């Protein structure tokens, strides 16, 4: 009756590491690491692009990405990437996925 009182569901998907890995295999997705550059340098998922979500130019930098492609986002634990995923969906990205647990729960090797 009062649907307007219900909180809106996130327009992005929260995926387990297994779902995230499977999605990356199946789609030609943009893989976005939203951690700080020093964290990225310490090890990241293969093929990831690093754009720090806490950077003042985050919105400008992600605006250069293709909004029609699937965008898979991750950070250290999943908190910053959830923030980034929300910002991406508000900016018009159609298919956004967030890695639950971040790289802390990622079972595959990271690259440097």
């Amino acid at each position: 009756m009062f649907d307007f009182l219900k909180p809106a569901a996130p327009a992005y998907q929260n995926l387990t590491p297994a779902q995230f890995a499977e999605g990356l295999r199946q789609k030609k997705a943009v893989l976005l690491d939203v951690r700080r550059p020093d964290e990225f340098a310490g090890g990241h998922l293969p093929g990831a692009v690093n754009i720090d979500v806490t950077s003042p130019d985050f919105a400008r930098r992600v605006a250069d990405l293709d909004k029609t492609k699937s965008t898979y986002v991750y950070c250290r634990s999943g908190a910053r990437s959830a923030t980034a995923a929300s910002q991406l969906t508000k900016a018009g990205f159609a298919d956004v996925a967030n890695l639950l647990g971040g790289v802390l729960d990622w079972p595959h090797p990271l690259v440097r």
Side-chain angles (χ1 to χ4, degrees), residues 5-22:
L5 295 176
K6 291 180 183 176
Y12 60 88
Q13 294 181 327
N14 284 308
L15 302 179
T16 65
Q19 293 168 323
F20 197 87
E22 182 62 25

Side-chain angles (χ1 to χ4, degrees), residues 16-101:
T16 65
Q19 293 168 323
F20 197 87
E22 182 62 25
L24 284 174
R25 274 193 294 277
Q26 291 182 356
K27 299 180 179 184
K28 292 185 186 223
V30 173
L31 180 58
L32 186 58
D33 183 321
V34 296
R35 298 176 299 160
R36 294 185 321 266
D38 61 306
E39 293 174 291
F40 182 81
H44 56 271
L45 275 64
V49 174
N50 181 221
I51 303 177
D52 181 356
V53 70
T54 64
S55 173
D57 65 347
F58 178 76
R60 182 188 58 76
R61 292 185 62 198
V62 296
D64 292 336
L65 301 175
D66 186 345
K67 292 180 181 182
T68 64
K69 287 188 176 179
S70 297
T71 306
Y72 280 58
V73 186
Y74 73 93
C75 65
R76 180 177 171 271
S77 67
R80 285 177 285 176
S81 56
T83 298
S86 179
Q87 290 180 25
L88 291 169
T89 57
K90 287 177 185 169
F93 285 76
D95 182 20
V96 180
N98 174 46
L99 175 60
L100 291 171

